[in-house]
Amino acid sequence: MTTNNKYQIWLTFNGEKEKLRLPVLPEEVKISMGSKDQSVDIVGLGEILIAQSRPATEFSFSSFFPAAKFPGVAVQDLTAPITLKDRITEWKNSTKPVHFIVTGLGIDCYCRITKFTPREAGGDVG
Protein backbone atom coordinates (compact mmCIF):
# COMPACT_ATOMS: atom_id res chain seq x y z
CA MET A 1 0.00 0.00 0.00
CA THR A 2 1.43 3.37 -0.97
CA THR A 3 0.24 6.64 0.46
CA ASN A 4 -0.37 9.09 -2.38
CA ASN A 5 0.77 12.33 -0.88
CA LYS A 6 2.37 15.43 -2.32
CA TYR A 7 4.91 15.24 0.50
CA GLN A 8 7.93 13.00 0.13
CA ILE A 9 11.34 13.21 1.79
CA TRP A 10 14.36 12.08 -0.19
CA LEU A 11 18.06 11.89 0.61
CA THR A 12 20.31 11.18 -2.35
CA PHE A 13 24.05 10.78 -2.43
CA ASN A 14 26.97 10.45 -4.80
CA GLY A 15 25.47 12.32 -7.74
CA GLU A 16 22.00 10.77 -7.28
CA LYS A 17 23.48 7.24 -7.64
CA GLU A 18 22.25 6.33 -4.16
CA LYS A 19 18.72 7.27 -3.11
CA LEU A 20 16.72 6.89 0.06
CA ARG A 21 13.09 7.87 0.47
CA LEU A 22 11.87 8.06 4.05
CA PRO A 23 9.31 5.29 4.41
CA VAL A 24 7.36 7.17 7.11
CA LEU A 25 6.86 10.94 6.93
CA PRO A 26 7.74 12.85 10.11
CA GLU A 27 5.02 14.72 11.98
CA GLU A 28 6.96 17.94 11.41
CA VAL A 29 10.02 19.32 9.64
CA LYS A 30 11.71 22.17 11.50
CA ILE A 31 13.64 24.80 9.57
CA SER A 32 16.00 27.05 11.49
CA MET A 33 17.32 30.16 9.75
CA GLY A 34 19.39 32.03 12.28
CA SER A 35 21.42 35.20 12.20
CA LYS A 36 24.91 36.16 13.29
CA ASP A 37 24.03 39.87 13.39
CA GLN A 38 25.36 41.72 16.41
CA SER A 39 23.65 44.44 18.36
CA VAL A 40 25.80 47.24 19.79
CA ASP A 41 24.74 50.16 21.98
CA ILE A 42 26.41 53.43 21.01
CA VAL A 43 26.12 56.42 23.36
CA GLY A 44 24.02 59.12 21.74
CA LEU A 45 22.79 56.85 18.95
CA GLY A 46 21.28 53.90 20.77
CA GLU A 47 21.26 50.34 19.57
CA ILE A 48 22.83 49.64 16.17
CA LEU A 49 22.65 46.35 14.34
CA ILE A 50 25.83 45.16 12.62
CA ALA A 51 24.91 42.82 9.78
CA GLN A 52 26.96 39.64 9.45
CA SER A 53 26.87 36.72 7.04
CA ARG A 54 24.11 34.26 7.84
CA PRO A 55 24.76 30.85 9.38
CA ALA A 56 23.72 27.67 7.59
CA THR A 57 20.04 26.83 7.48
CA GLU A 58 19.27 23.81 9.64
CA PHE A 59 16.60 21.19 8.99
CA SER A 60 15.50 18.74 11.65
CA PHE A 61 12.90 16.01 11.84
CA SER A 62 12.24 12.67 13.46
CA SER A 63 10.98 9.52 11.78
CA PHE A 64 11.51 5.79 11.91
CA PHE A 65 12.28 2.86 9.66
CA PRO A 66 9.59 0.20 10.00
CA ALA A 67 10.43 -3.48 9.70
CA ALA A 68 6.90 -4.30 8.47
CA LYS A 69 4.26 -2.52 6.41
CA PHE A 70 1.39 -0.64 8.01
CA PRO A 71 -1.06 1.97 6.64
CA GLY A 72 1.31 4.92 7.29
CA VAL A 73 4.14 3.57 5.14
CA ALA A 74 4.74 5.87 2.14
CA VAL A 75 6.87 3.50 0.03
CA GLN A 76 6.05 0.42 -2.04
CA ASP A 77 8.97 -1.75 -0.92
CA LEU A 78 10.58 -1.64 2.52
CA THR A 79 14.33 -1.72 3.03
CA ALA A 80 15.64 -3.32 6.22
CA PRO A 81 15.99 -0.67 8.97
CA ILE A 82 19.63 -1.65 9.65
CA THR A 83 20.45 -1.06 5.98
CA LEU A 84 18.93 2.43 6.06
CA LYS A 85 20.69 3.25 9.33
CA ASP A 86 24.04 2.10 7.94
CA ARG A 87 23.54 4.07 4.72
CA ILE A 88 22.74 7.33 6.54
CA THR A 89 25.67 6.77 8.92
CA GLU A 90 27.99 6.28 5.94
CA TRP A 91 26.70 9.47 4.29
CA LYS A 92 27.06 11.41 7.54
CA ASN A 93 30.69 10.33 7.87
CA SER A 94 31.50 11.26 4.27
CA THR A 95 32.89 14.60 3.13
CA LYS A 96 30.41 14.68 0.23
CA PRO A 97 27.10 16.55 0.58
CA VAL A 98 23.71 14.87 0.65
CA HIS A 99 20.91 16.11 -1.61
CA PHE A 100 17.92 16.79 0.67
CA ILE A 101 14.52 17.09 -1.00
CA VAL A 102 11.12 17.63 0.61
CA THR A 103 8.44 17.73 -2.04
CA GLY A 104 5.46 19.91 -1.19
CA LEU A 105 7.63 22.25 0.90
CA GLY A 106 9.97 23.42 -1.87
CA ILE A 107 13.09 22.20 -0.05
CA ASP A 108 15.75 21.10 -2.53
CA CYS A 109 19.32 21.65 -1.39
CA TYR A 110 22.69 20.05 -0.86
CA CYS A 111 23.68 19.80 2.77
CA ARG A 112 25.59 17.86 5.42
CA ILE A 113 24.12 15.48 7.95
CA THR A 114 25.51 16.88 11.18
CA LYS A 115 23.45 14.88 13.66
CA PHE A 116 21.93 11.42 13.32
CA THR A 117 20.68 9.66 16.43
CA PRO A 118 19.51 6.12 15.67
CA ARG A 119 17.79 4.20 18.42
CA GLU A 120 15.79 1.04 18.93
CA ALA A 121 12.98 1.01 21.45
CA GLY A 122 11.33 -1.89 23.21
CA GLY A 123 8.75 -3.55 20.97
CA ASP A 124 10.48 -2.15 17.86
CA VAL A 125 12.82 -5.04 17.18
CA GLY A 126 14.30 -4.66 13.71
Side-chain angles (χ1 to χ4, degrees):
M1 177 179 180
T2 302
T3 303
N4 289 326
N5 193 321
K6 69 178 182 175
Y7 295 102
Q8 297 177 5
I9 296 181
W10 289 88
L11 296 172
T12 71
F13 187 73
N14 198 16
E16 312 294 319
K17 292 176 186 163
E18 300 177 56
K19 297 180 180 184
L20 183 156
R21 179 177 172 193
L22 282 188
V24 178
L25 290 171
E27 289 186 22
E28 66 179 356
V29 175
K30 295 180 184 178
I31 304 168
S32 176
M33 296 179 272
S35 171
K36 290 184 180 178
D37 293 350
Q38 294 180 352
S39 175
V40 178
D41 281 323
I42 298 180
V43 176
L45 291 176
E47 184 178 16
I48 295 182
L49 187 64
I50 301 172
Q52 304 288 325
S53 61
R54 69 169 184 81
T57 299
E58 294 182 13
F59 302 97
S60 62
F61 57 88
S62 179
S63 185
F64 63 96
F65 305 138
K69 285 198 160 207
F70 68 94
V73 172
V75 296
Q76 195 70 268
D77 298 313
L78 287 178
T79 301
I82 189 74
T83 301
L84 297 174
K85 180 197 73 80
D86 290 347
R87 189 175 301 159
I88 291 175
T89 300
E90 178 185 326
W91 295 353
K92 179 189 179 306
N93 294 332
S94 172
T95 58
K96 295 179 181 179
V98 172
H99 192 180
F100 179 59
I101 304 163
V102 183
T103 63
L105 287 181
I107 298 171
D108 185 340
C109 61
Y110 287 87
C111 55
R112 295 285 312 240
I113 299 172
T114 58
K115 185 175 181 182
F116 177 54
T117 312
R119 69 179 184 85
E120 190 167 318
D124 294 338
V125 178

